[in-house]
Amino acid sequence: MERSILRFLFFTLAMLMITQPGAIAFANFDAPYGFYKDLSAWLSAYLGGAVILMLYALLKRKELGIKFLSVYGLHYVVLFILTYFLKLKVIGNVNPSFSVLSLFFLSFLGFQLSMMLFLPAVFSPPYYSYDAPLLLIQLVLWIASFYIFLRLRELEKEKILTVYRIFLGLMLFSIFFGFLKVAEVFR
């Protein structure tokens, strides 16, 4: 059970980290700009991808346990509500008809856009000085996922760890270029 939960947490952190560069890139395509818009775009893209994780969790519900599924569902609902109010704060004046249903559908679109823009966003400078807290969050997530990777390494065989190494490589790749971009912005 511990191995299944750690594996699921690792993929959740990977989803959070891999959606960030592309989500920030498409958030900065049009006004209004700022930290809250970038944060809400990132969380929205994550929520779109987290549905895939939720479906995976439902398939593995016997291994993960009902208690863990309940906590993950609560995490999703709280994050959805937080993202909704962030989006209202950012675009409420621009689009007064924005609703919960709009966010639900836009989160899937945001996830797809963040995946499509991942590589271009990593190599181009979409980060601005107000995005520094998001990069610090990204670093903390990377450290947490590396810790989980080390715990999984103790619990699983070597052939399974190749998938985790690929995700760690993608996350490290985005962190490295993110810090280079922030250093470029603050020059």
Side-chain angles (χ1 to χ4, degrees), residues 3-160:
R3 182 178 65 195
S4 298
I5 290 174
L6 283 175
R7 184 182 312 137
F8 188 78
L9 288 175
F10 181 82
F11 287 128
T12 301
L13 290 174
M15 184 74 72
L16 266 169
M17 294 180 69
I18 291 171
T19 54
Q20 189 194 53
I24 290 175
F26 80 77
N28 289 321
F29 280 148
D30 62 348
Y33 303 104
F35 173 75
Y36 290 121
K37 182 173 183 194
D38 291 354
L39 177 64
S40 67
W42 177 30
L43 292 177
S44 177
Y46 163 71
L47 289 171
V51 171
I52 297 168
L53 292 172
M54 196 176 302
L55 292 174
Y56 174 76
L58 288 174
L59 289 174
K60 301 287 185 173
R61 66 183 169 267
K62 289 182 182 175
E63 293 177 31
L64 294 171
I66 297 298
K67 185 176 178 183
F68 181 79
L69 286 175
S70 301
V71 170
Y72 187 75
L74 182 65
H75 147 267
Y76 190 87
V77 168
V78 167
L79 210 54
F80 190 86
I81 292 169
L82 174 74
T83 305
Y84 175 71
F85 285 114
L86 275 172
K87 287 266 188 202
L88 276 182
K89 178 181 171 120
V90 172
I91 64 168
N93 295 334
V94 178
N95 184 4
S97 65
F98 185 75
S99 67
V100 172
L101 191 60
S102 301
L103 177 63
F104 184 72
F105 289 114
L106 287 176
S107 66
F108 293 113
L109 180 63
F111 173 68
Q112 291 173 353
L113 284 172
S114 70
M115 291 292 101
M116 287 185 343
L117 292 173
F118 176 75
L119 281 178
V122 167
F123 289 116
S124 67
Y127 291 96
Y128 296 100
S129 57
Y130 54 78
D131 288 328
L134 294 178
L135 285 171
L136 291 175
I137 292 170
Q138 185 87 323
L139 179 64
V140 169
L141 291 172
W142 191 85
I143 291 169
S145 61
F146 189 71
Y147 173 75
I148 291 173
F149 173 76
L150 293 177
R151 293 280 299 136
L152 280 169
R153 191 173 176 188
E154 295 172 2
L155 297 173
E156 292 190 358
K157 296 179 180 166
E158 185 64 30
K159 59 183 173 183
I160 302 279

